[in-house]
PDB file of all heavy atoms in Angstrom:
ATOM      1  N   GLY Z  74     108.280  94.000 103.178  1.00  0.00           N
ATOM      2  CA  GLY Z  74     109.161  94.444 102.283  1.00  0.00           C
ATOM      3  C   GLY Z  74     110.003  93.354 101.647  1.00  0.00           C
ATOM      4  O   GLY Z  74     110.536  92.478 102.470  1.00  0.00           O
ATOM      5  N   TYR Z  75     110.248  93.296 100.416  1.00  0.00           N
ATOM      6  CA  TYR Z  75     111.011  92.333  99.691  1.00  0.00           C
ATOM      7  C   TYR Z  75     112.312  93.067  99.211  1.00  0.00           C
ATOM      8  O   TYR Z  75     112.299  93.859  98.339  1.00  0.00           O
ATOM      9  CB  TYR Z  75     110.311  91.728  98.527  1.00  0.00           C
ATOM     10  CG  TYR Z  75     109.090  90.817  98.914  1.00  0.00           C
ATOM     11  CD1 TYR Z  75     107.955  91.413  99.452  1.00  0.00           C
ATOM     12  CD2 TYR Z  75     109.296  89.432  98.880  1.00  0.00           C
ATOM     13  CE1 TYR Z  75     106.890  90.528  99.830  1.00  0.00           C
ATOM     14  CE2 TYR Z  75     108.149  88.655  99.233  1.00  0.00           C
ATOM     15  CZ  TYR Z  75     107.056  89.152  99.686  1.00  0.00           C
ATOM     16  OH  TYR Z  75     106.055  88.377 100.082  1.00  0.00           O
ATOM     17  N   PHE Z  76     113.428  92.481  99.748  1.00  0.00           N
ATOM     18  CA  PHE Z  76     114.686  93.205  99.475  1.00  0.00           C
ATOM     19  C   PHE Z  76     115.687  92.335  98.640  1.00  0.00           C
ATOM     20  O   PHE Z  76     115.624  91.045  98.804  1.00  0.00           O
ATOM     21  CB  PHE Z  76     115.421  93.511 100.778  1.00  0.00           C
ATOM     22  CG  PHE Z  76     114.662  94.566 101.536  1.00  0.00           C
ATOM     23  CD1 PHE Z  76     113.678  93.992 102.493  1.00  0.00           C
ATOM     24  CD2 PHE Z  76     114.953  95.953 101.611  1.00  0.00           C
ATOM     25  CE1 PHE Z  76     112.954  94.993 103.275  1.00  0.00           C
ATOM     26  CE2 PHE Z  76     114.237  96.805 102.357  1.00  0.00           C
ATOM     27  CZ  PHE Z  76     113.247  96.285 103.218  1.00  0.00           C
ATOM     28  N   GLU Z  77     116.565  92.908  97.777  1.00  0.00           N
ATOM     29  CA  GLU Z  77     117.578  92.193  97.217  1.00  0.00           C
ATOM     30  C   GLU Z  77     118.576  91.678  98.334  1.00  0.00           C
ATOM     31  O   GLU Z  77     118.929  92.383  99.220  1.00  0.00           O
ATOM     32  CB  GLU Z  77     118.400  93.067  96.210  1.00  0.00           C
ATOM     33  CG  GLU Z  77     117.512  93.542  95.071  1.00  0.00           C
ATOM     34  CD  GLU Z  77     117.261  92.594  94.062  1.00  0.00           C
ATOM     35  OE1 GLU Z  77     118.007  91.508  94.098  1.00  0.00           O
ATOM     36  OE2 GLU Z  77     116.320  92.787  93.256  1.00  0.00           O
ATOM     37  N   PRO Z  78     119.005  90.347  98.245  1.00  0.00           N
ATOM     38  CA  PRO Z  78     119.901  89.831  99.229  1.00  0.00           C
ATOM     39  C   PRO Z  78     121.173  90.535  99.282  1.00  0.00           C
ATOM     40  O   PRO Z  78     121.827  90.685  98.201  1.00  0.00           O
ATOM     41  CB  PRO Z  78     120.019  88.338  98.763  1.00  0.00           C
ATOM     42  CG  PRO Z  78     119.606  88.338  97.356  1.00  0.00           C
ATOM     43  CD  PRO Z  78     118.694  89.444  97.104  1.00  0.00           C
ATOM     44  N   LYS Z  79     121.524  90.979 100.416  1.00  0.00           N
ATOM     45  CA  LYS Z  79     122.822  91.513 100.737  1.00  0.00           C
ATOM     46  C   LYS Z  79     123.195  92.757  99.805  1.00  0.00           C
ATOM     47  O   LYS Z  79     124.315  93.036  99.464  1.00  0.00           O
ATOM     48  CB  LYS Z  79     123.983  90.503 100.507  1.00  0.00           C
ATOM     49  CG  LYS Z  79     123.941  89.294 101.484  1.00  0.00           C
ATOM     50  CD  LYS Z  79     125.009  88.330 101.276  1.00  0.00           C
ATOM     51  CE  LYS Z  79     124.906  87.129 102.218  1.00  0.00           C
ATOM     52  NZ  LYS Z  79     125.957  86.092 102.051  1.00  0.00           N
ATOM     53  N   GLY Z  80     122.041  93.404  99.444  1.00  0.00           N
ATOM     54  CA  GLY Z  80     122.261  94.531  98.572  1.00  0.00           C
ATOM     55  C   GLY Z  80     122.711  95.805  99.322  1.00  0.00           C
ATOM     56  O   GLY Z  80     123.208  96.739  98.722  1.00  0.00           O
ATOM     57  N   GLY Z  81     122.397  95.859 100.543  1.00  0.00           N
ATOM     58  CA  GLY Z  81     122.685  97.009 101.408  1.00  0.00           C
ATOM     59  C   GLY Z  81     121.692  98.250 101.147  1.00  0.00           C
ATOM     60  O   GLY Z  81     121.885  99.242 101.706  1.00  0.00           O
ATOM     61  N   ASP Z  82     120.729  97.971 100.277  1.00  0.00           N
ATOM     62  CA  ASP Z  82     119.705  99.056  99.936  1.00  0.00           C
ATOM     63  C   ASP Z  82     118.656  98.981 100.916  1.00  0.00           C
ATOM     64  O   ASP Z  82     118.110  97.867 101.127  1.00  0.00           O
ATOM     65  CB  ASP Z  82     119.229  98.963  98.520  1.00  0.00           C
ATOM     66  CG  ASP Z  82     118.431 100.140  98.036  1.00  0.00           C
ATOM     67  OD1 ASP Z  82     118.153 100.943  98.950  1.00  0.00           O
ATOM     68  OD2 ASP Z  82     118.131 100.226  96.810  1.00  0.00           O
ATOM     69  N   LEU Z  83     118.263 100.085 101.604  1.00  0.00           N
ATOM     70  CA  LEU Z  83     117.148 100.051 102.554  1.00  0.00           C
ATOM     71  C   LEU Z  83     115.845 100.074 101.891  1.00  0.00           C
ATOM     72  O   LEU Z  83     114.763 100.092 102.582  1.00  0.00           O
ATOM     73  CB  LEU Z  83     117.366 101.235 103.499  1.00  0.00           C
ATOM     74  CG  LEU Z  83     118.595 101.117 104.388  1.00  0.00           C
ATOM     75  CD1 LEU Z  83     118.730 102.345 105.377  1.00  0.00           C
ATOM     76  CD2 LEU Z  83     118.708  99.845 105.213  1.00  0.00           C
ATOM     77  N   THR Z  84     115.776 100.378 100.685  1.00  0.00           N
ATOM     78  CA  THR Z  84     114.551 100.549  99.837  1.00  0.00           C
ATOM     79  C   THR Z  84     114.286  99.137  99.278  1.00  0.00           C
ATOM     80  O   THR Z  84     114.964  98.525  98.504  1.00  0.00           O
ATOM     81  CB  THR Z  84     114.692 101.528  98.694  1.00  0.00           C
ATOM     82  OG1 THR Z  84     115.062 102.734  99.199  1.00  0.00           O
ATOM     83  CG2 THR Z  84     113.337 101.580  98.011  1.00  0.00           C
ATOM     84  N   PRO Z  85     113.002  98.556  99.603  1.00  0.00           N
ATOM     85  CA  PRO Z  85     112.707  97.253  99.098  1.00  0.00           C
ATOM     86  C   PRO Z  85     112.414  97.354  97.546  1.00  0.00           C
ATOM     87  O   PRO Z  85     112.055  98.312  96.923  1.00  0.00           O
ATOM     88  CB  PRO Z  85     111.367  96.976  99.797  1.00  0.00           C
ATOM     89  CG  PRO Z  85     110.849  98.284 100.132  1.00  0.00           C
ATOM     90  CD  PRO Z  85     111.937  99.218 100.366  1.00  0.00           C
ATOM     91  N   SER Z  86     112.642  96.146  96.954  1.00  0.00           N
ATOM     92  CA  SER Z  86     112.314  96.012  95.521  1.00  0.00           C
ATOM     93  C   SER Z  86     110.817  96.216  95.328  1.00  0.00           C
ATOM     94  O   SER Z  86     110.329  96.837  94.314  1.00  0.00           O
ATOM     95  CB  SER Z  86     112.666  94.652  95.019  1.00  0.00           C
ATOM     96  OG  SER Z  86     114.047  94.419  95.157  1.00  0.00           O
ATOM     97  N   TYR Z  87     109.967  95.788  96.252  1.00  0.00           N
ATOM     98  CA  TYR Z  87     108.572  96.052  96.292  1.00  0.00           C
ATOM     99  C   TYR Z  87     108.021  95.747  97.672  1.00  0.00           C
ATOM    100  O   TYR Z  87     108.686  95.072  98.473  1.00  0.00           O
ATOM    101  CB  TYR Z  87     107.804  95.340  95.248  1.00  0.00           C
ATOM    102  CG  TYR Z  87     107.752  93.728  95.450  1.00  0.00           C
ATOM    103  CD1 TYR Z  87     106.707  93.138  96.010  1.00  0.00           C
ATOM    104  CD2 TYR Z  87     108.779  92.987  94.900  1.00  0.00           C
ATOM    105  CE1 TYR Z  87     106.660  91.766  96.188  1.00  0.00           C
ATOM    106  CE2 TYR Z  87     108.756  91.618  94.973  1.00  0.00           C
ATOM    107  CZ  TYR Z  87     107.657  90.946  95.636  1.00  0.00           C
ATOM    108  OH  TYR Z  87     107.685  89.553  95.806  1.00  0.00           O
ATOM    109  N   GLN Z  88     106.892  96.236  97.970  1.00  0.00           N
ATOM    110  CA  GLN Z  88     106.260  96.083  99.337  1.00  0.00           C
ATOM    111  C   GLN Z  88     104.846  95.736  99.140  1.00  0.00           C
ATOM    112  O   GLN Z  88     104.114  96.181  98.281  1.00  0.00           O
ATOM    113  CB  GLN Z  88     106.437  97.422 100.070  1.00  0.00           C
ATOM    114  CG  GLN Z  88     105.869  97.403 101.493  1.00  0.00           C
ATOM    115  CD  GLN Z  88     106.190  98.674 102.220  1.00  0.00           C
ATOM    116  OE1 GLN Z  88     107.237  99.112 102.300  1.00  0.00           O
ATOM    117  NE2 GLN Z  88     105.096  99.173 102.872  1.00  0.00           N
ATOM    118  N   ILE Z  89     104.384  94.840 100.054  1.00  0.00           N
ATOM    119  CA  ILE Z  89     102.983  94.372 100.009  1.00  0.00           C
ATOM    120  C   ILE Z  89     102.379  94.705 101.393  1.00  0.00           C
ATOM    121  O   ILE Z  89     102.916  94.338 102.463  1.00  0.00           O
ATOM    122  CB  ILE Z  89     102.845  92.879  99.790  1.00  0.00           C
ATOM    123  CG1 ILE Z  89     103.465  92.564  98.471  1.00  0.00           C
ATOM    124  CG2 ILE Z  89     101.420  92.420  99.702  1.00  0.00           C
ATOM    125  CD1 ILE Z  89     103.382  91.094  98.107  1.00  0.00           C
ATOM    126  N   ASP Z  90     101.327  95.326 101.470  1.00  0.00           N
ATOM    127  CA  ASP Z  90     100.500  95.674 102.635  1.00  0.00           C
ATOM    128  C   ASP Z  90      99.135  94.958 102.459  1.00  0.00           C
ATOM    129  O   ASP Z  90      98.403  94.958 101.511  1.00  0.00           O
ATOM    130  CB  ASP Z  90     100.259  97.089 102.840  1.00  0.00           C
ATOM    131  CG  ASP Z  90     101.532  97.975 103.015  1.00  0.00           C
ATOM    132  OD1 ASP Z  90     102.565  97.318 103.184  1.00  0.00           O
ATOM    133  OD2 ASP Z  90     101.559  99.196 102.834  1.00  0.00           O
ATOM    134  N   PHE Z  91      98.611  94.403 103.724  1.00  0.00           N
ATOM    135  CA  PHE Z  91      97.344  93.667 103.638  1.00  0.00           C
ATOM    136  C   PHE Z  91      96.859  93.378 105.023  1.00  0.00           C
ATOM    137  O   PHE Z  91      97.646  93.541 106.091  1.00  0.00           O
ATOM    138  CB  PHE Z  91      97.487  92.315 102.841  1.00  0.00           C
ATOM    139  CG  PHE Z  91      98.526  91.397 103.401  1.00  0.00           C
ATOM    140  CD1 PHE Z  91      98.244  90.349 104.291  1.00  0.00           C
ATOM    141  CD2 PHE Z  91      99.832  91.512 102.962  1.00  0.00           C
ATOM    142  CE1 PHE Z  91      99.170  89.525 104.695  1.00  0.00           C
ATOM    143  CE2 PHE Z  91     100.840  90.726 103.344  1.00  0.00           C
ATOM    144  CZ  PHE Z  91     100.573  89.750 104.278  1.00  0.00           C
ATOM    145  N   ARG Z  92      95.697  93.048 105.135  1.00  0.00           N
ATOM    146  CA  ARG Z  92      95.118  92.631 106.462  1.00  0.00           C
ATOM    147  C   ARG Z  92      95.048  91.151 106.424  1.00  0.00           C
ATOM    148  O   ARG Z  92      94.477  90.479 105.554  1.00  0.00           O
ATOM    149  CB  ARG Z  92      93.635  93.154 106.554  1.00  0.00           C
ATOM    150  CG  ARG Z  92      92.927  92.689 107.942  1.00  0.00           C
ATOM    151  CD  ARG Z  92      93.444  93.472 109.099  1.00  0.00           C
ATOM    152  NE  ARG Z  92      93.013  94.802 109.110  1.00  0.00           N
ATOM    153  CZ  ARG Z  92      91.844  95.213 109.496  1.00  0.00           C
ATOM    154  NH1 ARG Z  92      90.891  94.392 110.067  1.00  0.00           N
ATOM    155  NH2 ARG Z  92      91.533  96.518 109.498  1.00  0.00           N
ATOM    156  N   LEU Z  93      95.751  90.470 107.424  1.00  0.00           N
ATOM    157  CA  LEU Z  93      95.839  89.094 107.497  1.00  0.00           C
ATOM    158  C   LEU Z  93      94.949  88.507 108.590  1.00  0.00           C
ATOM    159  O   LEU Z  93      94.927  88.994 109.688  1.00  0.00           O
ATOM    160  CB  LEU Z  93      97.252  88.689 107.800  1.00  0.00           C
ATOM    161  CG  LEU Z  93      97.639  87.295 108.141  1.00  0.00           C
ATOM    162  CD1 LEU Z  93      97.335  86.351 106.775  1.00  0.00           C
ATOM    163  CD2 LEU Z  93      99.038  87.020 108.581  1.00  0.00           C
ATOM    164  N   TYR Z  94      94.057  87.534 108.227  1.00  0.00           N
ATOM    165  CA  TYR Z  94      93.281  86.978 109.197  1.00  0.00           C
ATOM    166  C   TYR Z  94      93.776  85.562 109.686  1.00  0.00           C
ATOM    167  O   TYR Z  94      94.625  85.027 109.043  1.00  0.00           O
ATOM    168  CB  TYR Z  94      91.870  86.760 108.482  1.00  0.00           C
ATOM    169  CG  TYR Z  94      91.124  87.991 108.326  1.00  0.00           C
ATOM    170  CD1 TYR Z  94      91.418  88.870 107.278  1.00  0.00           C
ATOM    171  CD2 TYR Z  94      90.134  88.497 109.204  1.00  0.00           C
ATOM    172  CE1 TYR Z  94      90.749  90.073 107.029  1.00  0.00           C
ATOM    173  CE2 TYR Z  94      89.530  89.667 109.027  1.00  0.00           C
ATOM    174  CZ  TYR Z  94      89.821  90.463 108.022  1.00  0.00           C
ATOM    175  OH  TYR Z  94      89.158  91.689 107.901  1.00  0.00           O
ATOM    176  N   GLN Z  95      93.306  85.240 110.826  1.00  0.00           N
ATOM    177  CA  GLN Z  95      93.846  84.033 111.489  1.00  0.00           C
ATOM    178  C   GLN Z  95      93.664  82.720 110.724  1.00  0.00           C
ATOM    179  O   GLN Z  95      94.405  81.759 110.921  1.00  0.00           O
ATOM    180  CB  GLN Z  95      93.366  83.910 112.831  1.00  0.00           C
ATOM    181  CG  GLN Z  95      91.839  83.559 112.985  1.00  0.00           C
ATOM    182  CD  GLN Z  95      91.349  83.475 114.384  1.00  0.00           C
ATOM    183  OE1 GLN Z  95      91.107  84.649 114.932  1.00  0.00           O
ATOM    184  NE2 GLN Z  95      91.011  82.356 114.944  1.00  0.00           N
ATOM    185  N   ASN Z  96      92.750  82.735 109.824  1.00  0.00           N
ATOM    186  CA  ASN Z  96      92.593  81.595 108.933  1.00  0.00           C
ATOM    187  C   ASN Z  96      93.443  81.695 107.626  1.00  0.00           C
ATOM    188  O   ASN Z  96      93.342  80.770 106.765  1.00  0.00           O
ATOM    189  CB  ASN Z  96      91.088  81.348 108.584  1.00  0.00           C
ATOM    190  CG  ASN Z  96      90.535  82.557 107.693  1.00  0.00           C
ATOM    191  OD1 ASN Z  96      91.200  83.510 107.535  1.00  0.00           O
ATOM    192  ND2 ASN Z  96      89.250  82.336 107.149  1.00  0.00           N
ATOM    193  N   GLY Z  97      94.248  82.693 107.507  1.00  0.00           N
ATOM    194  CA  GLY Z  97      95.124  82.739 106.333  1.00  0.00           C
ATOM    195  C   GLY Z  97      94.633  83.579 105.192  1.00  0.00           C
ATOM    196  O   GLY Z  97      95.359  83.934 104.225  1.00  0.00           O
ATOM    197  N   VAL Z  98      93.287  83.968 105.224  1.00  0.00           N
ATOM    198  CA  VAL Z  98      92.712  84.845 104.208  1.00  0.00           C
ATOM    199  C   VAL Z  98      93.274  86.268 104.420  1.00  0.00           C
ATOM    200  O   VAL Z  98      93.503  86.718 105.563  1.00  0.00           O
ATOM    201  CB  VAL Z  98      91.236  84.825 104.253  1.00  0.00           C
ATOM    202  CG1 VAL Z  98      90.659  85.903 103.286  1.00  0.00           C
ATOM    203  CG2 VAL Z  98      90.781  83.449 103.927  1.00  0.00           C
ATOM    204  N   SER Z  99      93.500  87.012 103.333  1.00  0.00           N
ATOM    205  CA  SER Z  99      93.843  88.410 103.413  1.00  0.00           C
ATOM    206  C   SER Z  99      93.142  89.261 102.507  1.00  0.00           C
ATOM    207  O   SER Z  99      92.415  88.794 101.518  1.00  0.00           O
ATOM    208  CB  SER Z  99      95.311  88.559 103.009  1.00  0.00           C
ATOM    209  OG  SER Z  99      95.586  88.196 101.679  1.00  0.00           O
ATOM    210  N   ARG Z 100      92.900  90.546 102.987  1.00  0.00           N
ATOM    211  CA  ARG Z 100      92.215  91.609 102.083  1.00  0.00           C
ATOM    212  C   ARG Z 100      92.886  92.933 102.299  1.00  0.00           C
ATOM    213  O   ARG Z 100      93.947  92.933 102.906  1.00  0.00           O
ATOM    214  CB  ARG Z 100      90.723  91.592 102.566  1.00  0.00           C
ATOM    215  CG  ARG Z 100      90.460  91.760 104.079  1.00  0.00           C
ATOM    216  CD  ARG Z 100      88.997  91.837 104.424  1.00  0.00           C
ATOM    217  NE  ARG Z 100      88.463  93.037 104.051  1.00  0.00           N
ATOM    218  CZ  ARG Z 100      88.539  94.192 104.813  1.00  0.00           C
ATOM    219  NH1 ARG Z 100      89.122  94.117 105.946  1.00  0.00           N
ATOM    220  NH2 ARG Z 100      87.898  95.336 104.500  1.00  0.00           N
ATOM    221  N   GLU Z 101      92.236  93.987 101.706  1.00  0.00           N
ATOM    222  CA  GLU Z 101      92.959  95.302 101.832  1.00  0.00           C
ATOM    223  C   GLU Z 101      94.399  95.229 101.171  1.00  0.00           C
ATOM    224  O   GLU Z 101      95.244  95.800 101.847  1.00  0.00           O
ATOM    225  CB  GLU Z 101      92.896  95.866 103.224  1.00  0.00           C
ATOM    226  CG  GLU Z 101      91.516  96.161 103.833  1.00  0.00           C
ATOM    227  CD  GLU Z 101      91.596  96.756 105.237  1.00  0.00           C
ATOM    228  OE1 GLU Z 101      92.722  96.882 105.794  1.00  0.00           O
ATOM    229  OE2 GLU Z 101      90.572  97.173 105.687  1.00  0.00           O
ATOM    230  N   LEU Z 102      94.489  94.751  99.977  1.00  0.00           N
ATOM    231  CA  LEU Z 102      95.763  94.475  99.467  1.00  0.00           C
ATOM    232  C   LEU Z 102      96.362  95.761  98.786  1.00  0.00           C
ATOM    233  O   LEU Z 102      95.572  96.457  98.032  1.00  0.00           O
ATOM    234  CB  LEU Z 102      95.731  93.421  98.400  1.00  0.00           C
ATOM    235  CG  LEU Z 102      96.958  93.147  97.648  1.00  0.00           C
ATOM    236  CD1 LEU Z 102      98.035  92.493  98.554  1.00  0.00           C
ATOM    237  CD2 LEU Z 102      96.685  92.087  96.497  1.00  0.00           C
ATOM    238  N   LEU Z 103      97.623  96.096  98.974  1.00  0.00           N
ATOM    239  CA  LEU Z 103      98.252  97.170  98.360  1.00  0.00           C
ATOM    240  C   LEU Z 103      99.729  96.639  98.010  1.00  0.00           C
ATOM    241  O   LEU Z 103     100.524  96.302  98.874  1.00  0.00           O
ATOM    242  CB  LEU Z 103      98.360  98.395  99.224  1.00  0.00           C
ATOM    243  CG  LEU Z 103      99.142  99.585  98.621  1.00  0.00           C
ATOM    244  CD1 LEU Z 103      98.395 100.118  97.308  1.00  0.00           C
ATOM    245  CD2 LEU Z 103      99.304 100.679  99.553  1.00  0.00           C
ATOM    246  N   ILE Z 104      99.923  96.623  96.619  1.00  0.00           N
ATOM    247  CA  ILE Z 104     101.312  96.294  96.252  1.00  0.00           C
ATOM    248  C   ILE Z 104     102.062  97.522  95.631  1.00  0.00           C
ATOM    249  O   ILE Z 104     101.496  98.148  94.749  1.00  0.00           O
ATOM    250  CB  ILE Z 104     101.228  95.188  95.060  1.00  0.00           C
ATOM    251  CG1 ILE Z 104     100.409  94.048  95.532  1.00  0.00           C
ATOM    252  CG2 ILE Z 104     102.621  94.760  94.750  1.00  0.00           C
ATOM    253  CD1 ILE Z 104     100.269  92.951  94.395  1.00  0.00           C
ATOM    254  N   ASP Z 105     103.169  97.885  96.315  1.00  0.00           N
ATOM    255  CA  ASP Z 105     103.808  99.063  95.957  1.00  0.00           C
ATOM    256  C   ASP Z 105     105.199  98.720  95.252  1.00  0.00           C
ATOM    257  O   ASP Z 105     106.057  98.262  95.856  1.00  0.00           O
ATOM    258  CB  ASP Z 105     104.146  99.902  97.196  1.00  0.00           C
ATOM    259  CG  ASP Z 105     104.720 101.307  96.840  1.00  0.00           C
ATOM    260  OD1 ASP Z 105     105.165 101.468  95.700  1.00  0.00           O
ATOM    261  OD2 ASP Z 105     104.695 102.164  97.852  1.00  0.00           O
ATOM    262  N   TYR Z 106     105.318  99.029  93.980  1.00  0.00           N
ATOM    263  CA  TYR Z 106     106.499  98.806  93.258  1.00  0.00           C
ATOM    264  C   TYR Z 106     107.392 100.018  93.213  1.00  0.00           C
ATOM    265  O   TYR Z 106     108.407  99.985  92.411  1.00  0.00           O
ATOM    266  CB  TYR Z 106     106.181  98.379  91.811  1.00  0.00           C
ATOM    267  CG  TYR Z 106     105.509  97.075  91.784  1.00  0.00           C
ATOM    268  CD1 TYR Z 106     104.164  96.860  91.603  1.00  0.00           C
ATOM    269  CD2 TYR Z 106     106.257  95.827  91.901  1.00  0.00           C
ATOM    270  CE1 TYR Z 106     103.427  95.648  91.514  1.00  0.00           C
ATOM    271  CE2 TYR Z 106     105.680  94.677  91.790  1.00  0.00           C
ATOM    272  CZ  TYR Z 106     104.291  94.532  91.574  1.00  0.00           C
ATOM    273  OH  TYR Z 106     103.563  93.317  91.578  1.00  0.00           O
ATOM    274  N   GLY Z 107     107.089 101.087  93.885  1.00  0.00           N
ATOM    275  CA  GLY Z 107     107.932 102.224  93.791  1.00  0.00           C
ATOM    276  C   GLY Z 107     107.505 103.240  92.806  1.00  0.00           C
ATOM    277  O   GLY Z 107     107.111 104.356  93.142  1.00  0.00           O
ATOM    278  N   ASP Z 108     107.516 102.819  91.509  1.00  0.00           N
ATOM    279  CA  ASP Z 108     107.085 103.748  90.456  1.00  0.00           C
ATOM    280  C   ASP Z 108     105.573 103.717  90.369  1.00  0.00           C
ATOM    281  O   ASP Z 108     104.971 104.739  89.889  1.00  0.00           O
ATOM    282  CB  ASP Z 108     107.721 103.312  89.102  1.00  0.00           C
ATOM    283  CG  ASP Z 108     109.194 103.472  89.121  1.00  0.00           C
ATOM    284  OD1 ASP Z 108     109.736 104.409  89.678  1.00  0.00           O
ATOM    285  OD2 ASP Z 108     109.825 102.614  88.356  1.00  0.00           O
ATOM    286  N   PHE Z 109     104.923 102.753  90.815  1.00  0.00           N
ATOM    287  CA  PHE Z 109     103.452 102.615  90.800  1.00  0.00           C
ATOM    288  C   PHE Z 109     102.982 101.679  91.878  1.00  0.00           C
ATOM    289  O   PHE Z 109     103.832 100.799  92.302  1.00  0.00           O
ATOM    290  CB  PHE Z 109     102.899 102.265  89.300  1.00  0.00           C
ATOM    291  CG  PHE Z 109     103.245 100.877  88.900  1.00  0.00           C
ATOM    292  CD1 PHE Z 109     102.327  99.884  89.046  1.00  0.00           C
ATOM    293  CD2 PHE Z 109     104.521 100.575  88.348  1.00  0.00           C
ATOM    294  CE1 PHE Z 109     102.586  98.526  88.688  1.00  0.00           C
ATOM    295  CE2 PHE Z 109     104.744  99.290  87.980  1.00  0.00           C
ATOM    296  CZ  PHE Z 109     103.867  98.290  88.175  1.00  0.00           C
ATOM    297  N   SER Z 110     101.775 101.668  92.097  1.00  0.00           N
ATOM    298  CA  SER Z 110     101.221 100.732  93.077  1.00  0.00           C
ATOM    299  C   SER Z 110      99.871 100.171  92.570  1.00  0.00           C
ATOM    300  O   SER Z 110      99.199 100.806  91.779  1.00  0.00           O
ATOM    301  CB  SER Z 110     100.988 101.501  94.514  1.00  0.00           C
ATOM    302  OG  SER Z 110     100.076 102.539  94.352  1.00  0.00           O
TER     303      SER Z 110
END
């Protein structure tokens, strides 16, 4: 979750979900902006 600094809001500006592999590659990406993903 990416949050506004010291905003006090528990809702992130956006959120990224993914599968992270030990070599740094990722897949199964989901970017959630709140209004759309």
Side-chain angles (χ1 to χ4, degrees):
Y75 289 74
F76 298 84
E77 296 287 339
K79 299 180 181 178
D82 191 349
L83 297 180
T84 302
S86 298
Y87 64 97
Q88 179 174 312
I89 301 179
D90 299 344
F91 55 95
R92 177 75 69 83
L93 175 65
Y94 288 80
Q95 65 186 73
N96 65 349
V98 173
S99 61
R100 50 179 287 275
E101 294 183 352
L102 176 67
L103 178 66
I104 309 176
D105 187 349
Y106 291 101
D108 295 330
F109 67 97
S110 60

